[in-house]
Amino acid sequence: MNGLSTVFILVGLFLLGGVYSFWKQKLPKSVVVLLAIGSAMCLTAGVLRLEVWN
């Protein structure tokens, strides 16, 4: 596993936890959706950078 892919995956999981927390706090849906999109992008980037795909 590459160091940068690990960082992307960890940041994505951190943001995913933020999505769950913000959803439980009943924050505006636009904030939750924006955070979810960022989390999905980080997780996707981390998974695609793994050495498995080469």
Side-chain angles (χ1 to χ4, degrees), residues 13-52:
L13 291 175
F14 177 76
L15 291 176
L16 193 61
V19 169
Y20 178 73
S21 174
F22 284 6
W23 182 262
K24 295 295 269 185
Q25 294 178 27
K26 306 270 193 241
L27 266 68
K29 288 187 181 179
S30 61
V31 175
V32 174
V33 168
L34 187 63
L35 200 59
I37 291 171
S39 172
M41 287 173 58
C42 281
L43 286 172
T44 303
V47 168
L48 289 178
R49 286 193 56 87
L50 290 175
E51 298 294 330
V52 174

